[in-house]
Amino acid sequence: MIKKKWSAALCVFLLAASAIVGGCSNPLSSKVDKVSLTYVQAPLNIPSIVEKQQQSFERKFKEKDITASYSTITSGADQTAALASGDIQFLNCVGGSSVLLSAANGADIKIVSLYSQAPKAFRLFSKDTTIKSPADLKGKTIAGPKGTILNELLVAYLKQGGLSMKDVKFVNMGIPQAAAALINGSADCALLAGPMAYTMERKGAHIVTTGENLVSGLTVTAVSGKFYKEHKDLVDTFLAVQKETLDFIKKNPTAAENMTAKATDLPLQAVKDMAPLYDFSMEITPEAIASLKKTQDFLVESGMMEKKVDVDSLFVK
């Protein structure tokens, strides 16, 4: 009887010890053998282009016996959906508005760094040179993508003149389609960014306004809260690559510009002209957080977001 009691006690002890060891370890960390990152080239994402050209993520994660691969998903909504499903682990450039909308819908998403801010790269164009103020836009047909930084720019610009989106005819369409609408005359104005904006300016189109002092043009990098909690070491690896890339671009601007020109099929001079419009600093600043709160106000006021979220909690501490 004593022997049986001892055996039972030993079993209980071993089970308890096993549970303690299991609780102290991270069972999922050892199971990660591959990660997927988004690759967003437009409007002029020089860091992403350099990282892909140099296979930066592939090399860094290989040191941890992890395979890194890219997924070309440009839609913010599709990016956050892929993150929520676990198909993507790192969103390497996603719009701040997309993060807010995802969080408002209950998604577990965390911002780990800034990607870029480029207010001057976002522009409102017209062929009509008499359009010089918000008041001149009243009743005009304006083409551009809804729920984006460009949309936010238009709202902010109209607000300067005491107007709202109700005072214009806004037609929701992508940047290439908006440019075409401006050219063929079906739209009075077009909201454009990146190479398309550069091309339109070179063709002599009138710039009504840029996003300067109106929007931040903020994009960020993000992961799921669960992934950050369970695999912070991998997030740190991602951030290390981001920092190394920015250091490389700073020290080798010509090489980075050549890579970008090759990847985008843009003339080298075009890349050189547009590059100064982009600030790729990754540090999360109070100003950036305030900017995201301003974007949230825009989304709520325009009816694209039903309720507000705690913006501060979206950033990793």
Side-chain angles (χ1 to χ4, degrees):
M1 176 67 73
I2 293 175
K3 187 175 181 181
K4 288 183 178 179
K5 286 183 177 180
W6 170 248
S7 297
L10 181 60
C11 287
V12 170
F13 172 77
L14 291 174
L15 287 170
S18 176
I20 291 172
V21 172
C24 291
S25 65
N26 187 346
L28 292 178
S29 292
S30 60
K31 293 182 181 179
V32 175
D33 55 9
K34 60 182 179 180
V35 294
S36 184
L37 311 94
T38 53
Y39 177 66
V40 184
Q41 184 172 286
L44 195 74
N45 291 336
I46 297 175
S48 290
I49 291 169
V50 170
E51 286 157 358
K52 191 171 185 180
Q53 291 274 332
Q54 297 187 326
Q55 296 189 316
S56 305
F57 285 114
E58 292 92 332
R59 287 188 288 102
K60 201 74 171 180
F61 278 107
K62 189 176 182 180
E63 294 174 6
K64 294 178 174 289
D65 295 321
I66 296 173
T67 300
S69 61
Y70 284 110
S71 182
T72 305
I73 306 175
T74 57
S75 161
D78 291 343
Q79 285 188 49
T80 54
L83 185 73
S85 69
D87 292 337
I88 298 288
Q89 283 69 52
F90 296 96
L91 299 185
N92 190 24
C93 184
V94 62
S97 57
S98 297
V99 173
L100 290 167
L101 291 168
S102 178
N105 287 324
D108 174 29
I109 189 167
K110 293 290 182 182
I111 296 170
V112 295
S113 69
L114 301 190
Y115 185 91
S116 74
Q117 297 183 77
K120 291 182 181 179
F122 298 88
R123 303 178 176 189
L124 176 64
F125 286 91
S126 177
K127 291 193 293 183
D128 185 351
T129 57
T130 65
I131 298 178
K132 296 179 179 179
S133 71
D136 296 328
L137 292 177
K138 191 168 185 178
K140 301 295 185 183
T141 298
I142 303 172
K146 183 179 180 180
T148 63
I149 294 167
L150 285 166
N151 190 174
E152 185 180 355
L153 180 159
L154 177 60
V155 170
Y157 186 62
L158 288 170
K159 192 173 183 179
Q160 283 188 337
L163 303 177
S164 71
M165 293 290 281
K166 294 180 181 178
D167 295 300
V168 299
K169 182 181 178 182
F170 180 71
V171 183
N172 179 26
M173 59 178 67
I175 289 177
Q177 292 78 18
L182 179 61
I183 292 170
N184 66 32
S186 59
D188 299 301
C189 300
L191 292 159
L192 308 175
M196 190 63 72
Y198 176 83
T199 300
M200 193 63 68
E201 181 181 2
R202 298 285 288 184
K203 288 182 177 179
H206 168 54
I207 300 175
V208 178
T209 186
T210 71
E212 188 175 16
N213 299 322
L214 293 173
V215 295
S216 67
L218 182 70
T219 57
V220 300
T221 71
V223 299
S224 70
K226 183 176 185 293
F227 187 85
Y228 181 79
K229 183 179 180 180
E230 296 175 349
H231 306 291
K232 185 178 180 300
D233 59 322
L234 302 188
V235 176
D236 289 341
T237 298
F238 170 88
L239 293 173
V241 172
Q242 186 182 16
K243 184 179 184 305
E244 288 172 7
T245 301
L246 296 180
D247 288 342
F248 173 85
I249 294 171
K250 185 177 181 180
K251 295 175 183 177
N252 306 276
T254 302
E257 288 165 356
N258 279 316
M259 290 182 197
T260 303
K262 181 179 179 181
T264 59
D265 290 325
L266 286 168
L268 180 58
Q269 189 57 50
V271 174
K272 288 181 177 293
D273 289 343
M274 286 188 285
L277 300 176
Y278 294 82
D279 176 4
F280 293 108
S281 301
M282 61 187 286
E283 181 186 359
I284 296 171
T285 62
E287 291 78 15
I289 296 174
S291 172
L292 197 60
K293 290 178 179 178
K294 184 178 177 183
T295 296
Q296 176 167 245
D297 291 339
F298 150 70
L299 291 171
V300 172
E301 289 171 9
S302 61
M304 285 180 276
M305 188 170 165
E306 291 185 4
K307 59 180 181 180
K308 289 189 175 184
V309 298
D310 181 359
V311 172
D312 293 286
S313 70
L314 295 178
F315 294 85
V316 297
K317 307 300 181 184

